[in-house]
Amino acid sequence: MGKVIVIEHLTLDGVMQAPGHPEEDPRDGFRHGGWATRGQDPAMQEVMGVYMSSTWSLLAGRTTYERFADYWPKQAPNPFTEALDRVQKYVASTTLTEPPAWQNSTLLKDDAADAVSRLKGELQENLVVFGSGVLVRSLLPRNLIDTFILLIHPLTLGSGRRLFPDSGSELSTFRLVDSVSTGTGVIVATYQPAGS
């Protein structure tokens, strides 16, 4: 049975929106895009590489998928681009109607949590999620996430979309299974749910 592994860049105040570049996600007037770039460190790639070196598939929401599909296939050859081109990609969306154009992509049209629950039962490989905040928040109430890899950056932004919603969440506890500090002050913490 496959596991869902969520990899997120977070600020100390829990913001996950637009870590990569200024224009990545300006929804709700967010103006701090690209906040994670100064914290990049080889230790981050080592931790993520553990989950991307074995058999895995990409699970993404529409917005993240479209940004990845527009960016990664156009990059010069590198291990991350090659890995993303090669893997099976599952796109959870209720608004996409066309089959995704990026090779090895499958559209999940149904309710995201239902579709992911089915995939977990059908697949042996892990489903790795980068970003995709709306998708991740839809999986939380059904306890479909097996591992969170949180790259916690030493800054606060004061506004922006957060990984865990401010309201409507139930009490949950997590077990720390690994942690690494980087030279840039980012803590890479790996958590697994420990129950309610």
Side-chain angles (χ1 to χ4, degrees), residues 24-61:
E24 182 179 353
D25 184 0
R27 287 179 289 183
D28 306 323
F30 187 69
R31 55 186 174 78
H32 302 295
W35 53 265
T37 55
R38 69 186 126 220
Q40 293 302 313
D41 186 282
M44 295 176 183
Q45 280 69 41
E46 289 177 27
V47 172
M48 289 188 283
V50 169
Y51 294 94
M52 296 173 64
S53 60
S54 59
T55 304
W56 65 286
S57 293
L58 177 68
L59 174 62

mmCIF file of all heavy atoms in Angstrom, residues 24-61:
data_model
loop_
_atom_site.group_PDB
_atom_site.id
_atom_site.type_symbol
_atom_site.label_atom_id
_atom_site.label_comp_id
_atom_site.label_asym_id
_atom_site.label_seq_id
_atom_site.Cartn_x
_atom_site.Cartn_y
_atom_site.Cartn_z
ATOM 1 N N GLU A 24 5.061 33.349 -8.153
ATOM 2 C CA GLU A 24 4.576 31.971 -8.040
ATOM 3 C C GLU A 24 3.104 31.879 -7.661
ATOM 4 O O GLU A 24 2.351 31.116 -8.258
ATOM 5 C CB GLU A 24 5.422 31.218 -7.009
ATOM 6 C CG GLU A 24 5.045 29.769 -6.849
ATOM 7 C CD GLU A 24 5.942 29.068 -5.839
ATOM 8 O OE1 GLU A 24 6.925 29.654 -5.363
ATOM 9 O OE2 GLU A 24 5.632 27.923 -5.524
ATOM 10 N N ASP A 25 2.666 32.629 -6.666
ATOM 11 C CA ASP A 25 1.284 32.520 -6.203
ATOM 12 C C ASP A 25 0.863 33.820 -5.516
ATOM 13 O O ASP A 25 0.950 33.937 -4.299
ATOM 14 C CB ASP A 25 1.142 31.337 -5.241
ATOM 15 C CG ASP A 25 -0.307 31.114 -4.802
ATOM 16 O OD1 ASP A 25 -1.204 31.868 -5.249
ATOM 17 O OD2 ASP A 25 -0.536 30.194 -4.006
ATOM 18 N N PRO A 26 0.364 34.791 -6.291
ATOM 19 C CA PRO A 26 -0.026 36.076 -5.701
ATOM 20 C C PRO A 26 -1.466 36.118 -5.186
ATOM 21 O O PRO A 26 -1.972 37.193 -4.860
ATOM 22 C CB PRO A 26 0.158 37.048 -6.871
ATOM 23 C CG PRO A 26 -0.161 36.211 -8.075
ATOM 24 C CD PRO A 26 0.333 34.820 -7.747
ATOM 25 N N ARG A 27 -2.121 34.957 -5.084
ATOM 26 C CA ARG A 27 -3.511 34.947 -4.605
ATOM 27 C C ARG A 27 -3.652 35.690 -3.286
ATOM 28 O O ARG A 27 -2.743 35.684 -2.462
ATOM 29 C CB ARG A 27 -4.012 33.501 -4.425
ATOM 30 C CG ARG A 27 -4.281 32.791 -5.744
ATOM 31 C CD ARG A 27 -4.738 31.368 -5.518
ATOM 32 N NE ARG A 27 -3.614 30.551 -5.034
ATOM 33 C CZ ARG A 27 -3.700 29.245 -4.813
ATOM 34 N NH1 ARG A 27 -4.827 28.610 -5.000
ATOM 35 N NH2 ARG A 27 -2.648 28.583 -4.390
ATOM 36 N N ASP A 28 -4.800 36.317 -3.121
ATOM 37 C CA ASP A 28 -5.128 37.076 -1.905
ATOM 38 C C ASP A 28 -4.163 38.236 -1.669
ATOM 39 O O ASP A 28 -3.970 38.669 -0.542
ATOM 40 C CB ASP A 28 -5.152 36.166 -0.665
ATOM 41 C CG ASP A 28 -6.067 34.961 -0.836
ATOM 42 O OD1 ASP A 28 -7.131 35.110 -1.474
ATOM 43 O OD2 ASP A 28 -5.715 33.879 -0.337
ATOM 44 N N GLY A 29 -3.525 38.728 -2.743
ATOM 45 C CA GLY A 29 -2.621 39.866 -2.615
ATOM 46 C C GLY A 29 -1.280 39.538 -1.982
ATOM 47 O O GLY A 29 -0.573 40.443 -1.542
ATOM 48 N N PHE A 30 -0.900 38.268 -1.961
ATOM 49 C CA PHE A 30 0.365 37.869 -1.330
ATOM 50 C C PHE A 30 1.528 38.492 -2.086
ATOM 51 O O PHE A 30 1.642 38.382 -3.304
ATOM 52 C CB PHE A 30 0.486 36.341 -1.339
ATOM 53 C CG PHE A 30 1.659 35.822 -0.566
ATOM 54 C CD1 PHE A 30 1.689 35.919 0.815
ATOM 55 C CD2 PHE A 30 2.726 35.238 -1.214
ATOM 56 C CE1 PHE A 30 2.766 35.430 1.547
ATOM 57 C CE2 PHE A 30 3.806 34.740 -0.500
ATOM 58 C CZ PHE A 30 3.826 34.843 0.880
ATOM 59 N N ARG A 31 2.437 39.162 -1.357
ATOM 60 C CA ARG A 31 3.532 39.897 -2.001
ATOM 61 C C ARG A 31 4.914 39.468 -1.513
ATOM 62 O O ARG A 31 5.891 40.185 -1.724
ATOM 63 C CB ARG A 31 3.336 41.400 -1.805
ATOM 64 C CG ARG A 31 3.183 41.828 -0.376
ATOM 65 C CD ARG A 31 2.835 43.319 -0.241
ATOM 66 N NE ARG A 31 2.553 43.664 1.125
ATOM 67 C CZ ARG A 31 3.464 43.863 2.066
ATOM 68 N NH1 ARG A 31 4.729 43.747 1.777
ATOM 69 N NH2 ARG A 31 3.122 44.185 3.293
ATOM 70 N N HIS A 32 5.000 38.312 -0.875
ATOM 71 C CA HIS A 32 6.293 37.864 -0.348
ATOM 72 C C HIS A 32 6.853 36.658 -1.105
ATOM 73 O O HIS A 32 7.699 35.935 -0.572
ATOM 74 C CB HIS A 32 6.156 37.488 1.131
ATOM 75 C CG HIS A 32 5.654 38.589 2.001
ATOM 76 N ND1 HIS A 32 6.370 39.742 2.223
ATOM 77 C CD2 HIS A 32 4.499 38.712 2.700
ATOM 78 C CE1 HIS A 32 5.675 40.541 3.029
ATOM 79 N NE2 HIS A 32 4.533 39.930 3.327
ATOM 80 N N GLY A 33 6.379 36.423 -2.325
ATOM 81 C CA GLY A 33 6.815 35.251 -3.078
ATOM 82 C C GLY A 33 8.327 35.156 -3.209
ATOM 83 O O GLY A 33 9.016 36.159 -3.349
ATOM 84 N N GLY A 34 8.830 33.945 -3.136
ATOM 85 C CA GLY A 34 10.258 33.692 -3.248
ATOM 86 C C GLY A 34 11.004 33.705 -1.929
ATOM 87 O O GLY A 34 12.236 33.653 -1.894
ATOM 88 N N TRP A 35 10.267 33.687 -0.834
ATOM 89 C CA TRP A 35 10.877 33.828 0.495
ATOM 90 C C TRP A 35 11.814 32.678 0.868
ATOM 91 O O TRP A 35 12.693 32.828 1.710
ATOM 92 C CB TRP A 35 9.798 34.004 1.570
ATOM 93 C CG TRP A 35 8.745 32.942 1.563
ATOM 94 C CD1 TRP A 35 7.533 32.998 0.932
ATOM 95 C CD2 TRP A 35 8.788 31.670 2.208
ATOM 96 N NE1 TRP A 35 6.827 31.840 1.132
ATOM 97 C CE2 TRP A 35 7.582 31.011 1.921
ATOM 98 C CE3 TRP A 35 9.736 31.032 3.005
ATOM 99 C CZ2 TRP A 35 7.285 29.731 2.392
ATOM 100 C CZ3 TRP A 35 9.450 29.757 3.482
ATOM 101 C CH2 TRP A 35 8.226 29.127 3.169
ATOM 102 N N ALA A 36 11.667 31.510 0.248
ATOM 103 C CA ALA A 36 12.490 30.350 0.647
ATOM 104 C C ALA A 36 13.814 30.255 -0.095
ATOM 105 O O ALA A 36 14.676 29.467 0.292
ATOM 106 C CB ALA A 36 11.703 29.064 0.451
ATOM 107 N N THR A 37 13.997 31.045 -1.136
ATOM 108 C CA THR A 37 15.189 30.859 -1.968
ATOM 109 C C THR A 37 16.494 31.132 -1.221
ATOM 110 O O THR A 37 17.494 30.477 -1.462
ATOM 111 C CB THR A 37 15.118 31.750 -3.225
ATOM 112 O OG1 THR A 37 14.930 33.111 -2.823
ATOM 113 C CG2 THR A 37 13.982 31.326 -4.127
ATOM 114 N N ARG A 38 16.498 32.061 -0.307
ATOM 115 C CA ARG A 38 17.742 32.380 0.419
ATOM 116 C C ARG A 38 18.124 31.274 1.397
ATOM 117 O O ARG A 38 19.254 31.236 1.878
ATOM 118 C CB ARG A 38 17.613 33.715 1.140
ATOM 119 C CG ARG A 38 16.642 33.691 2.290
ATOM 120 C CD ARG A 38 16.431 35.064 2.896
ATOM 121 N NE ARG A 38 14.992 35.293 2.890
ATOM 122 C CZ ARG A 38 14.419 36.423 2.611
ATOM 123 N NH1 ARG A 38 15.134 37.459 2.315
ATOM 124 N NH2 ARG A 38 13.121 36.535 2.616
ATOM 125 N N GLY A 39 17.210 30.366 1.697
ATOM 126 C CA GLY A 39 17.495 29.299 2.658
ATOM 127 C C GLY A 39 17.912 27.989 2.028
ATOM 128 O O GLY A 39 18.068 26.990 2.725
ATOM 129 N N GLN A 40 18.101 27.959 0.699
ATOM 130 C CA GLN A 40 18.446 26.703 0.032
ATOM 131 C C GLN A 40 19.772 26.164 0.544
ATOM 132 O O GLN A 40 20.716 26.913 0.802
ATOM 133 C CB GLN A 40 18.505 26.906 -1.481
ATOM 134 C CG GLN A 40 17.157 27.206 -2.109
ATOM 135 C CD GLN A 40 16.151 26.114 -1.844
ATOM 136 O OE1 GLN A 40 16.428 24.928 -2.000
ATOM 137 N NE2 GLN A 40 14.949 26.504 -1.445
ATOM 138 N N ASP A 41 19.823 24.840 0.672
ATOM 139 C CA ASP A 41 21.010 24.194 1.228
ATOM 140 C C ASP A 41 21.039 22.760 0.703
ATOM 141 O O ASP A 41 19.980 22.137 0.566
ATOM 142 C CB ASP A 41 20.907 24.209 2.761
ATOM 143 C CG ASP A 41 22.157 23.692 3.430
ATOM 144 O OD1 ASP A 41 22.334 22.455 3.459
ATOM 145 O OD2 ASP A 41 22.942 24.503 3.924
ATOM 146 N N PRO A 42 22.213 22.213 0.385
ATOM 147 C CA PRO A 42 22.280 20.833 -0.115
ATOM 148 C C PRO A 42 21.632 19.808 0.811
ATOM 149 O O PRO A 42 21.151 18.771 0.360
ATOM 150 C CB PRO A 42 23.788 20.580 -0.258
ATOM 151 C CG PRO A 42 24.388 21.935 -0.428
ATOM 152 C CD PRO A 42 23.530 22.865 0.380
ATOM 153 N N ALA A 43 21.607 20.071 2.112
ATOM 154 C CA ALA A 43 20.996 19.120 3.052
ATOM 155 C C ALA A 43 19.516 18.903 2.743
ATOM 156 O O ALA A 43 18.981 17.811 2.962
ATOM 157 C CB ALA A 43 21.162 19.619 4.486
ATOM 158 N N MET A 44 18.845 19.928 2.218
ATOM 159 C CA MET A 44 17.426 19.789 1.862
ATOM 160 C C MET A 44 17.250 18.761 0.752
ATOM 161 O O MET A 44 16.370 17.903 0.817
ATOM 162 C CB MET A 44 16.857 21.130 1.391
ATOM 163 C CG MET A 44 16.810 22.193 2.427
ATOM 164 S SD MET A 44 16.217 23.698 1.624
ATOM 165 C CE MET A 44 16.327 24.832 2.997
ATOM 166 N N GLN A 45 18.085 18.857 -0.280
ATOM 167 C CA GLN A 45 17.986 17.920 -1.401
ATOM 168 C C GLN A 45 18.301 16.495 -0.956
ATOM 169 O O GLN A 45 17.710 15.545 -1.460
ATOM 170 C CB GLN A 45 18.926 18.351 -2.537
ATOM 171 C CG GLN A 45 18.358 19.463 -3.408
ATOM 172 C CD GLN A 45 18.263 20.803 -2.689
ATOM 173 O OE1 GLN A 45 19.162 21.181 -1.951
ATOM 174 N NE2 GLN A 45 17.169 21.514 -2.904
ATOM 175 N N GLU A 46 19.210 16.356 -0.007
ATOM 176 C CA GLU A 46 19.538 15.013 0.490
ATOM 177 C C GLU A 46 18.334 14.370 1.152
ATOM 178 O O GLU A 46 18.037 13.197 0.925
ATOM 179 C CB GLU A 46 20.703 15.084 1.476
ATOM 180 C CG GLU A 46 22.027 15.391 0.826
ATOM 181 C CD GLU A 46 23.148 15.528 1.843
ATOM 182 O OE1 GLU A 46 23.063 14.916 2.922
ATOM 183 O OE2 GLU A 46 24.109 16.253 1.532
ATOM 184 N N VAL A 47 17.617 15.129 1.988
ATOM 185 C CA VAL A 47 16.445 14.587 2.672
ATOM 186 C C VAL A 47 15.361 14.242 1.656
ATOM 187 O O VAL A 47 14.776 13.156 1.690
ATOM 188 C CB VAL A 47 15.911 15.575 3.732
ATOM 189 C CG1 VAL A 47 14.587 15.090 4.309
ATOM 190 C CG2 VAL A 47 16.932 15.762 4.847
ATOM 191 N N MET A 48 15.083 15.150 0.732
ATOM 192 C CA MET A 48 14.045 14.887 -0.266
ATOM 193 C C MET A 48 14.440 13.748 -1.194
ATOM 194 O O MET A 48 13.600 12.966 -1.629
ATOM 195 C CB MET A 48 13.738 16.159 -1.057
ATOM 196 C CG MET A 48 12.998 17.186 -0.233
ATOM 197 S SD MET A 48 12.422 18.592 -1.198
ATOM 198 C CE MET A 48 13.931 19.521 -1.389
ATOM 199 N N GLY A 49 15.744 13.648 -1.467
ATOM 200 C CA GLY A 49 16.230 12.591 -2.345
ATOM 201 C C GLY A 49 15.937 11.200 -1.826
ATOM 202 O O GLY A 49 15.752 10.265 -2.600
ATOM 203 N N VAL A 50 15.887 11.056 -0.515
ATOM 204 C CA VAL A 50 15.561 9.760 0.085
ATOM 205 C C VAL A 50 14.194 9.282 -0.400
ATOM 206 O O VAL A 50 13.990 8.106 -0.693
ATOM 207 C CB VAL A 50 15.595 9.843 1.626
ATOM 208 C CG1 VAL A 50 15.007 8.601 2.263
ATOM 209 C CG2 VAL A 50 17.012 10.081 2.107
ATOM 210 N N TYR A 51 13.248 10.207 -0.501
ATOM 211 C CA TYR A 51 11.886 9.842 -0.884
ATOM 212 C C TYR A 51 11.694 9.809 -2.389
ATOM 213 O O TYR A 51 10.683 9.316 -2.876
ATOM 214 C CB TYR A 51 10.890 10.813 -0.242
ATOM 215 C CG TYR A 51 10.874 10.669 1.254
ATOM 216 C CD1 TYR A 51 11.661 11.479 2.057
ATOM 217 C CD2 TYR A 51 10.107 9.685 1.860
ATOM 218 C CE1 TYR A 51 11.677 11.328 3.433
ATOM 219 C CE2 TYR A 51 10.120 9.516 3.236
ATOM 220 C CZ TYR A 51 10.911 10.342 4.015
ATOM 221 O OH TYR A 51 10.937 10.177 5.366
ATOM 222 N N MET A 52 12.659 10.349 -3.136
ATOM 223 C CA MET A 52 12.541 10.383 -4.588
ATOM 224 C C MET A 52 13.492 9.411 -5.276
ATOM 225 O O MET A 52 13.498 9.326 -6.493
ATOM 226 C CB MET A 52 12.801 11.808 -5.087
ATOM 227 C CG MET A 52 11.773 12.803 -4.587
ATOM 228 S SD MET A 52 12.198 14.494 -5.000
ATOM 229 C CE MET A 52 12.121 14.442 -6.780
ATOM 230 N N SER A 53 14.287 8.671 -4.521
ATOM 231 C CA SER A 53 15.245 7.764 -5.138
ATOM 232 C C SER A 53 14.636 6.386 -5.392
ATOM 233 O O SER A 53 15.061 5.671 -6.279
ATOM 234 C CB SER A 53 16.493 7.632 -4.269
ATOM 235 O OG SER A 53 16.149 7.131 -2.994
ATOM 236 N N SER A 54 13.632 6.031 -4.612
ATOM 237 C CA SER A 54 12.976 4.746 -4.831
ATOM 238 C C SER A 54 11.762 4.979 -5.747
ATOM 239 O O SER A 54 11.589 6.039 -6.315
ATOM 240 C CB SER A 54 12.543 4.154 -3.495
ATOM 241 O OG SER A 54 11.664 5.044 -2.835
ATOM 242 N N THR A 55 10.922 3.987 -5.863
ATOM 243 C CA THR A 55 9.735 4.112 -6.700
ATOM 244 C C THR A 55 8.739 5.045 -6.036
ATOM 245 O O THR A 55 8.408 4.880 -4.868
ATOM 246 C CB THR A 55 9.093 2.724 -6.915
ATOM 247 O OG1 THR A 55 10.084 1.859 -7.459
ATOM 248 C CG2 THR A 55 7.940 2.814 -7.869
ATOM 249 N N TRP A 56 8.278 6.044 -6.775
ATOM 250 C CA TRP A 56 7.334 7.020 -6.249
ATOM 251 C C TRP A 56 6.546 7.617 -7.401
ATOM 252 O O TRP A 56 6.899 7.459 -8.571
ATOM 253 C CB TRP A 56 8.061 8.119 -5.468
ATOM 254 C CG TRP A 56 8.975 8.965 -6.321
ATOM 255 C CD1 TRP A 56 10.187 8.590 -6.838
ATOM 256 C CD2 TRP A 56 8.746 10.304 -6.766
ATOM 257 N NE1 TRP A 56 10.726 9.621 -7.569
ATOM 258 C CE2 TRP A 56 9.874 10.684 -7.542
ATOM 259 C CE3 TRP A 56 7.710 11.214 -6.578
ATOM 260 C CZ2 TRP A 56 9.977 11.941 -8.137
ATOM 261 C CZ3 TRP A 56 7.825 12.466 -7.167
ATOM 262 C CH2 TRP A 56 8.945 12.816 -7.935
ATOM 263 N N SER A 57 5.464 8.287 -7.074
ATOM 264 C CA SER A 57 4.681 9.042 -8.034
ATOM 265 C C SER A 57 4.445 10.429 -7.461
ATOM 266 O O SER A 57 4.448 10.614 -6.243
ATOM 267 C CB SER A 57 3.326 8.369 -8.300
ATOM 268 O OG SER A 57 3.501 7.136 -8.962
ATOM 269 N N LEU A 58 4.225 11.395 -8.332
ATOM 270 C CA LEU A 58 3.927 12.758 -7.917
ATOM 271 C C LEU A 58 2.422 12.916 -7.797
ATOM 272 O O LEU A 58 1.673 12.509 -8.685
ATOM 273 C CB LEU A 58 4.471 13.757 -8.942
ATOM 274 C CG LEU A 58 4.167 15.231 -8.676
ATOM 275 C CD1 LEU A 58 4.927 15.725 -7.445
ATOM 276 C CD2 LEU A 58 4.523 16.077 -9.892
ATOM 277 N N LEU A 59 1.985 13.496 -6.703
ATOM 278 C CA LEU A 59 0.585 13.842 -6.507
ATOM 279 C C LEU A 59 0.537 15.352 -6.356
ATOM 280 O O LEU A 59 1.256 15.910 -5.524
ATOM 281 C CB LEU A 59 0.026 13.154 -5.255
ATOM 282 C CG LEU A 59 -1.391 13.526 -4.831
ATOM 283 C CD1 LEU A 59 -2.409 13.149 -5.904
ATOM 284 C CD2 LEU A 59 -1.731 12.851 -3.504
ATOM 285 N N ALA A 60 -0.293 16.020 -7.163
ATOM 286 C CA ALA A 60 -0.315 17.481 -7.137
ATOM 287 C C ALA A 60 -1.719 18.002 -7.348
ATOM 288 O O ALA A 60 -2.545 17.367 -8.000
ATOM 289 C CB ALA A 60 0.606 18.044 -8.219
ATOM 290 N N GLY A 61 -1.954 19.176 -6.791
ATOM 291 C CA GLY A 61 -3.159 19.920 -7.110
ATOM 292 C C GLY A 61 -2.964 20.620 -8.448
ATOM 293 O O GLY A 61 -1.851 20.681 -8.980
#
